[in-house]
Amino acid sequence: MQQWIDPLTLSRIKDMPLVAKTVAEGVLHGQHTSVQKGSGIEFSQYRSYEPGDELGKVDWKLFARSDRYFVREAERESDTHIWLVLDASQSMLQQSVASKAQNGWHKLDYARYFLATIAYIAQQQGDAVGLLGLSDTHIDYLPCGTGQRHWHKLMLKLSQLKVGEKFPTHENLQRQLGNIRPQGLIFVLSDFIEHNHEILEFMQPLNHSKNELVAMQLVCDDELKFPYKGAIRVENPETQQQILVSSKDIKAPYLAAYQRFQMGLQDHLSVQNVNLFTANIDLPLDESVHAYLASRRKVR
């Protein structure tokens, strides 16, 4: 049975490269039944070693765990440029009731470690990986690069990511990023809480024939289930505006409004032919990574 690594356990480790490597190798372990064709996060799968195979392709770590020789194999169409785009607005600091009680992660933490894991898998495949961390007050940018040294630069950039109040406007992005136009496989991680469709507007010009655009939405159990009791104080995470409400009175309207929001987001992205993947921060990180890779193989 698969043993998932829960967010609380990983939050105690703190070391991002170690967590990413641990999660990635745990997800990839045992994927040895077939050859995966394609490029970009279509992680190499394994087959048994045969006489004449290059020793450099033997996965020695897998040998140490299984006492059997496996060769990492994949048919690749081309080297892929992978861009990791992270919404660094204030709403991404949301924690669920469960994560607060356990001193766990907020959405931004979960997103950073998710992207670190994806970057590790990509770097193992030889793909070039770049990063954009976006808020109205700061833009963190790392151009695409390959190799372990670049991966560690990316880990440092993710660790030091600055959080602003809102997602930047189109004009702000143009002013700070100039003519940068990411091409390749583009991951956009966000809760998709926005004021004037600024996140969807940012994604629209990236959605063309030269790119593959993937939308990843971070959610938590509080949003999905509304577990609150009694009088509660509700705060807009990006404006800090607060109101006192009765949880009993607003639970049903809230859940209906949240469902409409989700359906609207799904409909908008479907029209643009963009796949939406949802990751719950109250679920184990490697379960989310595994689910994403499985959904990607299914789509392709």
Side-chain angles (χ1 to χ4, degrees), residues 5 10 15-28 61 65 113 116-121 123-124 148 151-152 155 285:
I5 307 173
L10 292 178
D15 186 303
M16 184 173 291
L18 176 59
V19 170
K21 185 176 180 181
T22 300
V23 172
E25 291 183 349
V27 169
L28 299 183
K61 292 180 180 179
R65 293 194 297 265
Y113 282 78
T117 305
I118 293 296
Y120 178 82
I121 296 173
Q123 159 308 113
Q124 290 292 100
Q148 189 169 10
W151 180 69
H152 280 285
M155 296 303 98
L285 177 64

Side-chain angles (χ1 to χ4, degrees), residues 34-232:
S34 65
V35 177
Q36 178 67 42
K37 299 180 180 181
S39 62
I41 308 302
E42 301 297 335
F43 59 87
S44 305
Q45 299 199 22
Y46 300 102
R47 63 170 172 80
S48 297
Y49 174 83
E50 298 176 359
D53 286 331
E54 297 179 26
L55 291 179
K57 292 185 178 180
V58 173
D59 192 310
W60 296 107
K61 292 180 180 179
L62 188 55
F63 167 74
R65 293 194 297 265
S66 64
D67 201 29
R68 296 175 61 191
Y69 294 99
F70 290 102
V71 174
R72 182 182 290 272
E73 182 180 76
E75 295 183 29
R76 303 181 58 78
E77 297 166 358
S78 63
D79 291 331
T80 302
H81 281 65
I82 298 173
W83 284 93
L84 310 176
V85 181
L86 180 53
D87 173 5
S89 62
Q90 192 72 23
S91 64
M92 289 288 284
L93 296 181
Q94 180 182 2
Q95 289 179 294
S96 67
V97 170
S99 64
K100 284 182 181 178
Q102 296 176 345
N103 193 28
W105 292 351
H106 44 59
K107 289 180 179 179
L108 189 67
D109 280 337
Y110 201 92
R112 286 192 286 202
Y113 282 78
F114 190 106
L115 290 180
T117 305
I118 293 296
Y120 178 82
I121 296 173
Q123 159 308 113
Q124 290 292 100
Q125 294 180 165
D127 293 322
V129 186
L131 173 69
L132 283 172
L134 303 178
S135 76
D136 59 340
T137 58
H138 195 81
I139 291 180
D140 289 281
Y141 168 68
L142 183 69
C144 276
T146 59
Q148 189 169 10
R149 177 177 293 185
H150 179 79
W151 180 69
H152 280 285
K153 287 182 181 179
L154 194 147
M155 296 303 98
L156 181 62
K157 203 76 170 176
L158 278 172
S159 298
Q160 298 176 341
L161 198 74
K162 294 181 173 65
V163 178
E165 291 185 3
K166 298 178 288 186
F167 195 85
T169 63
H170 176 74
E171 292 76 14
N172 193 16
L173 282 170
Q174 288 291 101
R175 184 168 60 254
Q176 296 196 49
L177 291 179
N179 295 321
I180 293 177
R181 295 289 184 274
Q183 289 191 355
L185 174 58
I186 304 173
F187 295 88
V188 179
L189 259 72
S190 173
D191 54 9
F192 287 93
I193 295 175
E194 50 187 356
H195 294 267
N196 297 301
H197 306 291
E198 58 271 13
I199 303 175
L200 296 176
E201 287 180 0
F202 163 77
M203 294 173 61
Q204 188 170 353
L206 302 176
N207 187 26
H208 55 76
S209 59
K210 294 183 179 180
N211 289 341
E212 180 181 352
L213 189 59
V214 178
M216 293 188 170
Q217 183 188 23
L218 280 297
V219 300
C220 66
D221 282 345
D222 288 12
E223 293 171 305
L224 300 174
K225 302 175 182 178
F226 199 85
Y228 308 104
K229 304 293 182 182
I232 58 173

